Amino acid sequence: MEKLSATVWAWFTTGQWLAPAGKLAVAVVIVAAGFFAARLVSGGLSRWRGRVRAGRPIIYIVEKLSGYGLVLAGLFVALSTLGIDLTSLAVFAGALGVGVGLGLQGIVREFVSGLVMIFDPHVHVGDFIELENGVRGVIAEVGPRASRVRTNDGLNVVIPNSKLIESQVINWTLKGGTRRIHVPFSVAYGVDKALVRDVVIRAARATPFTLPETEDRKTQVWLIGFGDSALNFELVVWPTFDAVKRPAAMHAAYTWAIEDALRSAQIEIPFPQMDLRVRSLFGQEGGEAFAALGLKAGHAAEPAPHPVIETKNDAADALIADVEREARERLTEGRE
């Protein structure tokens, strides 16, 4: 014991510990510098990605790979500084591979799935997606284990990367394009279909996020079926790209505009009901049937016209406000 104490004391007093301590300090500084450089480069690329509209997926790939690469480079240089022969780690890497296969396969699976997502041309950061469980939102980030999807209600949903790879994903904004939507509505039987079409198309065109019509993208009204007490229609319309990313508000805004238009044109929107019509009574019909009962045939009173009232479309206002806020955020990130 005394010999061991003397050896340790001599090791400290002769300064032999300074060399390994200095190497360790340098290695720590190199690792910290690698992390700092990775954070700096990733932050700069992220701000650049927020300023541009085109090429965002490529920038995101470079951002992630450069961050991972700088961290790994710092670790390898630090190990070399400590005098560790990297070739001697081959046996350790083999043993680690066995351990990964047995106990860490879930983590590796999610990490590899994240790398696949980064290079996947069909799902990018910034796309608006819909999952099988009904979750809809923008892909805000692809991490090493899970991806973050931000819904329009401000919720951040963390989803394992493998779920996005293996399950069905609806990409509403693939290739930066818009999509056609269908907004159902109903009117009473006997209403002039041409009038219904005119007033609804006029209301849809007046909505600020409806795209101008082209040969391939037209705003239309379809008669899709006969209900128990109504004719069932659909407004078929092409909204803007920013509106597509907010489907709930967009659908509510069009529904509000349709109701305003129908009410202003005094077109009846029916409710479920059942009418009993007697075709004949005691062998008589119409006025003769009334006379047989000692009654006078009457006429249905004309409905009073509905006043045209300007209403506030909250859903449309909310959608426009969200688009303007997103534009301001991109502008602020660009200035920074």
Side-chain angles (χ1 to χ4, degrees), residues 14-28:
T14 56
Q16 296 178 358
W17 60 275
L18 292 176
K23 291 182 179 179
L24 180 61
V26 172
V28 170

Side-chain angles (χ1 to χ4, degrees), residues 93-108:
L96 181 61
V98 175
V100 167
L102 295 177
L104 301 179
Q105 55 182 348
I107 297 176
V108 174

Side-chain angles (χ1 to χ4, degrees), residues 117-198:
M117 282 194 60
I118 291 176
F119 290 99
D120 191 348
H122 301 106
V123 181
H124 300 140
V125 172
D127 286 348
F128 188 91
I129 64 171
E130 180 176 353
L131 305 180
E132 288 182 327
N133 58 3
V135 173
R136 295 187 298 191
V138 176
I139 302 178
E141 180 183 4
V142 178
R145 186 193 67 83
S147 298
R148 180 168 59 90
V149 175
R150 185 179 66 251
T151 69
N152 289 331
D153 292 330
L155 299 176
N156 289 292
V157 183
V158 179
I159 304 171
N161 293 327
S162 60
K163 295 294 183 182
L164 296 176
I165 295 295
E166 299 171 357
S167 61
Q168 175 180 303
V169 176
I170 300 176
N171 192 336
W172 286 46
T173 54
L174 182 62
K175 300 184 183 301
T178 183
R179 63 182 294 269
R180 186 172 66 180
I181 68 165
H182 299 248
V183 184
F185 66 96
S186 301
V187 300
Y189 279 105
V191 174
D192 185 357
K193 298 186 294 298
L195 177 62
V196 173
R197 178 184 180 278
D198 291 341

Side-chain angles (χ1 to χ4, degrees), residues 251-267:
H251 191 279
Y254 279 120
T255 303
W256 190 285
I258 290 172
E259 198 280 334
D260 273 353
L262 296 177
R263 182 161 47 84
S264 297
Q266 301 180 19
I267 297 176

Side-chain angles (χ1 to χ4, degrees), residues 12-329:
F12 272 102
T13 55
T14 56
Q16 296 178 358
W17 60 275
L18 292 176
K23 291 182 179 179
L24 180 61
V26 172
V28 170
V29 171
I30 292 174
V31 172
F35 277 96
F36 178 77
R39 186 178 183 86
L40 188 65
V41 172
S42 298
L45 291 174
S46 178
R47 288 190 294 272
W48 181 31
R49 177 165 51 87
R51 290 196 300 265
V52 300
R53 297 282 297 182
R56 288 185 177 182
I58 302 300
I59 298 175
Y60 188 80
I61 293 174
V62 175
E63 174 188 338
K64 286 297 182 181
L65 293 183
S66 61
Y68 294 153
L70 288 172
V71 171
L72 291 177
L75 291 175
F76 284 135
V77 174
L79 292 175
S80 299
T81 302
L82 292 175
I84 299 176
D85 186 5
L86 297 181
T87 58
S88 64
L89 296 178
V91 177
F92 174 74
L96 181 61
V98 175
V100 167
L102 295 177
L104 301 179
Q105 55 182 348
I107 297 176
V108 174
R109 176 188 180 188
E110 302 301 340
F111 180 76
V112 173
S113 298
L115 292 178
V116 172
M117 282 194 60
I118 291 176
F119 290 99
D120 191 348
H122 301 106
V123 181
H124 300 140
V125 172
D127 286 348
F128 188 91
I129 64 171
E130 180 176 353
L131 305 180
E132 288 182 327
N133 58 3
V135 173
R136 295 187 298 191
V138 176
I139 302 178
E141 180 183 4
V142 178
R145 186 193 67 83
S147 298
R148 180 168 59 90
V149 175
R150 185 179 66 251
T151 69
N152 289 331
D153 292 330
L155 299 176
N156 289 292
V157 183
V158 179
I159 304 171
N161 293 327
S162 60
K163 295 294 183 182
L164 296 176
I165 295 295
E166 299 171 357
S167 61
Q168 175 180 303
V169 176
I170 300 176
N171 192 336
W172 286 46
T173 54
L174 182 62
K175 300 184 183 301
T178 183
R179 63 182 294 269
R180 186 172 66 180
I181 68 165
H182 299 248
V183 184
F185 66 96
S186 301
V187 300
Y189 279 105
V191 174
D192 185 357
K193 298 186 294 298
L195 177 62
V196 173
R197 178 184 180 278
D198 291 341
V199 299
V200 172
I201 287 182
R202 192 182 307 119
R205 289 172 177 171
T207 305
F209 41 83
T210 300
L211 287 174
E213 294 188 24
T214 64
E215 187 64 27
D216 298 327
R217 298 179 178 180
K218 294 183 178 181
T219 302
Q220 299 173 325
V221 172
W222 295 354
L223 175 61
I224 60 172
F226 301 94
D228 293 335
S229 57
L231 294 172
N232 297 324
F233 289 86
E234 278 187 351
L235 167 65
V236 182
V237 64
W238 293 86
T240 62
F241 176 77
D242 290 320
V244 167
K245 296 192 293 184
R246 298 161 178 84
M250 174 183 59
H251 191 279
Y254 279 120
T255 303
W256 190 285
I258 290 172
E259 198 280 334
D260 273 353
L262 296 177
R263 182 161 47 84
S264 297
Q266 301 180 19
I267 297 176
E268 181 183 356
I269 302 176
F271 54 88
Q273 57 185 332
M274 181 178 293
D275 296 333
L276 180 62
R277 181 179 180 185
V278 179
R279 296 296 300 271
S280 64
L281 181 67
F282 304 123
Q284 307 294 330
E285 295 186 10
E288 295 177 353
F290 277 96
L293 294 174
L295 301 175
K296 291 183 178 180
H299 298 280
E302 292 292 333
H306 294 283
V308 178
I309 302 174
E310 294 291 337
T311 60
K312 182 176 177 59
N313 195 334
D314 291 336
D317 293 343
L319 193 154
I320 295 172
D322 286 344
V323 174
E324 293 176 348
R325 175 180 53 78
E326 185 176 316
R328 288 195 299 269
E329 290 176 354

